[in-house]
Amino acid sequence: MRLQSNANDTRLKELRDFSNWILKVGDGSIESSIDGIDKVLIPNDLLINEYTNPIASIVESTYPDFITNCNDIEYLQQRAILAPTLDMVESNQYMITLNHNPEKSYLRSDKICRSDHTYSALEHVHTPEFLNNIKCSSVPNHSITSKVGVPMMLLRNIDQSAGLCNGIRLIVTKHGNQVIEAKVLSGQMIGQKMFIPRMTLTPSDSRIPFKFQRRQFPITISFTMTINKSQGQSLSYVGLFLKMPLFTHG
């Protein structure tokens, strides 16, 4: 009992120290000047210092014994790797290779919106190959490779009354040609079976100077997700894959 009490005291102290550090980071009162630039030093015990392959190392740290637990809904529900941008979530593809179930690929259909006043000119300039390479927030990629047991995140509201809302996480249970069957991993509908249809989506990214439509399943693999998309998620084990500085005070 004494050993258990000491262990609990040590754990409480670690949590208290970590909470105080997080608060100081948020207040902007913990910083060090490195080469004339103010930077926050991350405590060494939070870092993965020894690795050969950075993606394999953070996957092993965040998803230990993944092959054994890849069909455990609670295991997948509690974990995620976070990255700053869409370009940095390549660990999703790495983790799909660790799942040995048969894969299913879905290709999207892209076309210029006829409502765009420059439609007649754009359809000759922006070929299907060009449109297929466009990646932007809240829109699925040209090709989605899925396997049974892979967690996905919904990118659009489909049926809010049924819990199918933007940002909800699901685990794929069956593939169809026009629908994907999945169980909910987050929110109030955990464990419920849902059906995800193909949808026609129009990206609203202001960086794209024209409108086009994309018909695809409104989902993306969510072993790894952007920090922005992680807002609202409840996670017990989180890995941060930071290939560039991204924090600012406030």
Side-chain angles (χ1 to χ4, degrees):
M1 292 177 63
R2 187 179 299 113
L3 290 174
Q4 182 65 38
S5 177
N6 290 338
N8 289 338
D9 290 344
T10 300
R11 178 62 176 161
L12 286 173
K13 183 180 183 303
E14 290 176 351
L15 289 172
R16 189 179 297 112
D17 291 344
F18 178 72
S19 299
N20 290 333
W21 178 75
I22 288 291
L23 289 172
K24 289 179 180 178
V25 170
D27 292 337
S29 60
I30 179 170
E31 59 185 28
S32 300
S33 181
I34 302 175
D35 298 328
I37 300 174
D38 289 335
K39 294 187 177 181
V40 174
L41 294 179
I42 298 176
N44 196 60
D45 62 312
L46 299 180
L47 300 174
I48 301 174
N49 290 306
E50 298 181 5
Y51 58 86
T52 302
N53 182 331
I55 293 179
S57 295
I58 197 168
V59 166
E60 177 58 33
S61 174
T62 313
Y63 293 91
D65 299 319
F66 173 74
I67 295 177
T68 303
N69 296 286
C70 63
N71 294 316
D72 186 333
I73 291 181
E74 184 177 354
Y75 171 89
L76 295 172
Q77 173 194 353
Q78 295 178 343
R79 292 167 166 78
I81 297 170
L82 308 185
T85 65
L86 289 171
D87 295 333
M88 296 186 184
V89 294
E90 61 259 48
S91 52
N92 275 327
Q93 299 305 319
Y94 172 81
M95 294 199 69
I96 282 185
T97 64
L98 300 180
N99 181 315
H100 299 308
N101 290 322
E103 69 177 36
K104 173 78 171 179
S105 293
Y106 296 97
L107 299 179
R108 73 191 178 199
S109 172
D110 292 338
K111 63 180 180 180
I112 298 293
C113 292
R114 291 182 177 273
S115 59
D116 196 305
H117 66 281
T118 57
Y119 168 76
S120 59
L122 290 175
E123 65 174 337
H124 298 295
V125 176
H126 300 318
T127 62
E129 291 76 17
F130 170 80
L131 297 177
N132 289 345
N133 287 322
I134 294 177
K135 294 182 179 181
C136 52
S137 178
S138 299
V139 174
N141 291 335
H142 165 63
S143 176
I144 296 176
T145 299
S146 175
K147 294 181 179 180
V148 170
V150 167
M152 296 283 187
M153 177 177 284
L154 199 59
L155 298 177
R156 293 294 177 93
N157 292 330
I158 296 179
D159 187 348
Q160 290 179 298
S161 62
L164 288 177
C165 304
N166 182 13
I168 195 171
R169 296 177 76 205
L170 311 104
I171 183 170
V172 175
T173 54
K174 189 175 182 180
H175 296 113
N177 292 327
Q178 301 303 323
V179 295
I180 293 176
E181 179 187 283
K183 286 186 177 180
V184 178
L185 282 179
S186 61
Q188 299 179 348
M189 307 293 288
I190 292 178
Q192 294 292 319
K193 185 182 295 184
M194 300 291 183
F195 296 92
I196 312 301
R198 287 182 185 267
M199 296 178 64
T200 298
L201 308 170
T202 302
S204 57
D205 196 319
S206 59
R207 296 171 298 176
I208 303 176
F210 59 91
K211 292 185 180 296
F212 73 100
Q213 293 179 335
R214 177 168 297 163
R215 185 165 180 80
Q216 180 61 289
F217 291 98
I219 54 175
T220 187
I221 302 166
S222 66
F223 287 117
T224 302
M225 66 184 85
T226 62
I227 294 172
N228 182 55
K229 275 293 185 183
S230 72
Q231 296 182 38
Q233 301 291 330
S234 295
L235 302 167
S236 301
Y237 305 91
V238 176
L240 288 175
F241 191 51
L242 308 179
K243 295 174 70 174
M244 66 180 191
L246 78 159
F247 295 109
T248 58
H249 292 316

